[in-house]
Amino acid sequence: MIELDARGLSCPEPMLMAKKAMKDAPSEEVSIAVDSASARDNIARVARIEGRDVTVGDKGDGWVVLIK
């Protein structure tokens, strides 16, 4: 599993990080921590467009987007 921390980063950087991880390791799960709703939604949208399953979990200070 690839784990990324994009808390504190502005869009589109978190989404670009997730997209690069999906491209570099297409068979790996990607977990990315974010602290903004727009980053959460953009990452989930891009992952679904790529045909991946997405789960979003609340992490108190933000969210963790798990891309399978």
Side-chain angles (χ1 to χ4, degrees), residues 6-60:
R7 291 175 291 179
L9 300 177
S10 300
C11 279
E13 194 164 354
M15 183 269 303
L16 294 173
M17 290 171 64
K19 193 169 182 176
K20 181 178 182 332
M22 288 188 293
K23 180 183 177 196
D24 291 348
S27 62
E28 291 283 327
E29 290 185 352
V30 178
S31 173
I32 183 163
V34 296
D35 58 2
S36 81
S38 61
R40 176 199 64 201
D41 295 344
N42 289 337
I43 291 167
R45 185 177 309 112
V46 166
R48 287 184 181 114
I49 288 170
E50 296 288 326
R52 308 282 291 261
D53 290 326
V54 178
T55 305
V56 178
D58 191 357
K59 192 180 177 207

